[in-house]
Amino acid sequence: MNESQTVCPRCRLAMNRVTFRHWEVRLCPRCEGTFYDQETLDTLLQQPDLRLSYLRPALLSNLSSPHPEEVDRSRISCPNCHKEMRREGYSEENPLLVDRCGDCNSIWLDDGELGHLFEERVKKHPHPRPGFVEGLRRLVGMVPRVASPTPPQE
């Protein structure tokens, strides 16, 4: 992502840098929208302890969202390269709509969309339930000892 100050495409405010382990994300302090590169978002959605991170506000929708309904949405510009983003399904496996930049492949998620993507992924790929000690290891940022089960090969 561009190292200069990133501006929220909805609110036009400077976005905060949020770090979860070693992955960096941009978070709007007003609307709680988040901005990612594709690889970072793919990796974050695989983390079972994402709900414990500083991204928690972006996981849950505000009761009164400052954004219009889907049918009334206007196109937004990419905070990274300023090209127009398109509204499309996240992936074949997860068709929830996101704003994606066709040039730099970055993704903008409005408030609550991260939570929807995360829940949809957990439905298809449940995380193992860690014990108490394993949960503490993850909470303090240590490498988990419980590996996620590998999906069966078809």
Side-chain angles (χ1 to χ4, degrees):
M1 264 185 260
N2 192 342
E3 286 303 311
S4 65
Q5 191 172 40
T6 307
V7 176
C8 173
R10 300 266 186 225
C11 302
R12 303 287 180 226
L13 295 176
M15 296 178 73
N16 298 328
R17 288 183 184 180
V18 176
T19 304
F20 177 63
R21 294 201 184 112
H22 59 271
W23 300 289
E24 188 177 280
V25 175
R26 304 279 198 232
L27 172 71
C28 177
R30 179 174 176 257
C31 70
E32 296 175 349
T34 47
F35 184 64
Y36 312 81
D37 61 61
Q38 176 76 51
E39 185 178 332
T40 299
L41 182 55
D42 288 342
T43 305
L44 285 175
L45 290 173
Q46 297 174 33
Q47 306 307 308
D49 53 348
L50 184 61
R51 289 185 189 101
L52 302 176
S53 75
Y54 289 113
L55 290 171
R56 183 176 172 83
L59 286 166
L60 306 169
S61 297
N62 286 328
L63 293 176
S64 58
S65 175
H67 304 300
E69 293 299 320
E70 192 67 46
V71 293
D72 296 330
R73 285 182 191 255
S74 60
R75 302 271 176 159
I76 59 172
S77 297
C78 175
N80 188 45
C81 68
H82 308 291
K83 304 284 182 170
E84 188 175 275
M85 299 182 92
R86 47 182 203 269
R87 194 87 172 135
E88 61 183 36
Y90 178 68
S91 67
E92 284 185 26
E93 184 179 90
N94 194 337
L96 294 171
L97 295 177
V98 299
D99 294 289
R100 185 186 315 270
C101 179
D103 282 15
C104 67
N105 209 28
S106 296
I107 295 176
W108 168 263
L109 298 178
D110 288 315
D111 182 41
E113 290 178 343
L114 176 61
H116 294 303
L117 285 173
F118 185 72
E119 292 304 320
E120 197 62 32
R121 188 189 188 290
V122 169
K123 281 182 201 171
K124 293 178 176 144
H125 305 282
H127 298 299
R129 296 255 183 232
F132 178 74
V133 173
E134 188 63 26
L136 282 177
R137 287 179 60 83
R138 291 176 179 180
L139 182 62
V140 297
M142 296 176 73
V143 176
R145 290 186 289 188
V146 175
S148 296
T150 322
Q153 300 294 327
E154 294 180 18

